[in-house]
Amino acid sequence: MTFAKEIACPRCARRFALNQLLNLCPCGSPLLVRYDLKKAAAAIAKASLAGRGANLWRYRELLPLEDDANLVSLGEGFTPLLEAKTLARECGVQQVWIKDEAQNPTGSFKDRGLSVAVSRAKELGVKKVAIPSAGNAGGSLSAYAARAGIEAYVFMPTDTPTANQIEARQYGAHLTLVDGLINDCGRIIAERKAAEGWFDVSTLKEPYRVEGKKTMGYEIAEQLNWTLPDVIIYPTGGGNGLIGMWKAFQEMEELGWIGSKRPRMVSVQAAGCAPIVKAFIEGKETAEPWPQAKTVASGLRVPQAVADFLMLRALRESNGTALSVSDDEMLAEIPRVGRAEGIFFCPEGAACVAALRRLIPQGWVKPSDEVLIFNTASGLKYLDVIRDNLVNK
Ligand SMILES: Cc1ncc(COP(=O)(O)O)c(C=O)c1O
Ligand SMILES: [Zn+2]
């Protein structure tokens, strides 16, 4: 049972019926699912969630799937919110939480979006899906498509971490390595999808992955007893997570589950690919494509994002900020936070820790703040990247 009622464009306000396969709005904007939150508020008591399964489908009514028979799940979501006492002490802040997304079925937060998108694709009769991926999303789609009995076509840059390439093939996906970046992979899919009959599940080019990602926002509130931290630091590529959480906070307020207080959202990018940071600093509403994008944090190697304006809007509405950190800072942070907290961070997650260490002396994060950082994937997915960088040093 879902309270989803329609799909709407956040740019031109055009509305669409739910029961159709959709990609972008004709105006070029991503589309977002809207719910009947009044009815949902009357039907769901937030206390009743406590007895539900420890996965993201605990927010079932606020996800866009009609029939449970189409639900494709591997137990994704409801990841632990871990207290980082040593890191907090080192940084001199009152409280640091780590949302550990490494503990998802394929080792990254991409499972959230792809569980929901593949379930909905199955419901709408899709037989073949295609994805351009910086790495983790390709592996994740391969797993969920296998479970759904749908064929997956995955396009990754040739220098994507080995684990992502191997896992995609082990799940039976058709993997194509592309001599280029994620946007080049996306272009190939756009050119071929009509002839091949592929449903394109590129980041924010269909309205369901972001629904899965928004559950990070619901979980943070539920795990903090329906409060939100002062600051959320998030590694930003295509923007699914940032936009999804911001949507979740709005929905939860309308449901009467939380108040109007919002965290200040921080977007972290890599110095070698920081289009959102640049646009934020320059006060722009959209971002320019980043030339020659280069970083070891493959998930952050996104030179151009279709949802740039939604990310920038969320950052500004939240009184947040955006900053970039170097690859050296990220790589130095992995063993440092590993020793401090016993968590093997991915480079993207380590970028959040590096950002936190920068924001404190700047006074942007205050000692009294409660800060939440994301570890978006397991460091185990990046063994080759970490080894090669150790060898090179
Ligand atoms: C580990 C990791 N962190 C962060 C990101 C960026 O995520 P988003 O698309 O939600 O901005 C990615 C995307 O590929 C990723 O794989
Ligand atoms: Zn539109």
Side-chain angles (χ1 to χ4, degrees), residues 70-73 118-119 121-122 126 142-151:
N70 297 315
L71 200 157
V72 185
S73 175
V118 170
S119 298
K122 185 176 173 203
V126 170
S142 306
Y144 285 90
R147 199 161 171 85
I150 291 175
E151 260 182 84

Side-chain angles (χ1 to χ4, degrees), residues 136-197:
N136 292 311
S140 177
L141 175 73
S142 306
Y144 285 90
R147 199 161 171 85
I150 291 175
E151 260 182 84
Y153 292 81
V154 178
F155 293 78
M156 290 178 187
T158 37
D159 52 357
T160 300
T162 316
N164 299 132
Q165 302 181 26
I166 294 176
E167 67 184 335
R169 290 206 171 100
Q170 298 301 309
Y171 291 127
H174 305 272
L175 175 66
T176 306
L177 297 174
V178 176
D179 188 15
L181 294 173
I182 186 169
N183 299 54
D184 302 303
C185 298
R187 208 167 302 126
I188 296 173
I189 294 176
E191 282 162 15
R192 290 180 52 192
K193 64 182 180 184
E196 303 277 1

Side-chain angles (χ1 to χ4, degrees), residues 108-110 134-137 203 213 234-242 298-300 346 348 376-377 382:
S108 92
F109 71 149
K110 297 284 174 184
N136 292 311
T203 296
K213 288 282 191 81
Y234 182 80
T236 310
N240 253 323
L242 188 65
S298 40
L300 305 184
C346 61
E348 295 83 350
T376 40
Y382 298 80

Side-chain angles (χ1 to χ4, degrees), residues 360-371:
I360 294 163
Q362 289 175 14
W364 199 91
V365 168
K366 292 179 266 329
S368 59
D369 279 335
E370 191 174 329
V371 182

Side-chain angles (χ1 to χ4, degrees), residues 284-297:
K284 303 238 171 80
E285 281 174 26
T286 57
E288 285 158 29
W290 190 271
Q292 276 117 40
K294 193 172 179 303
T295 168
V296 293

Side-chain angles (χ1 to χ4, degrees), residues 23-91:
N23 286 113
L24 292 173
C25 179
C27 83
S29 166
L31 293 171
L32 299 173
V33 180
R34 300 282 172 221
Y35 296 80
D36 189 334
L37 295 170
K38 278 210 180 73
K39 271 199 197 146
I44 320 162
K46 67 182 178 190
S48 72
L49 297 172
R52 297 188 178 188
N55 61 75
L56 63 79
W57 294 96
R58 65 199 281 111
Y59 310 108
R60 173 75 184 83
E61 298 91 330
L62 302 158
L63 293 170
L65 188 75
E66 274 155 59
D67 186 346
D68 278 346
N70 297 315
L71 200 157
V72 185
S73 175
L74 290 161
E76 54 292 321
F78 221 63
T79 53
L81 193 58
L82 302 168
E83 222 178 333
K85 286 194 181 149
T86 308
L87 182 59
R89 200 175 333 112
E90 278 175 17
C91 292

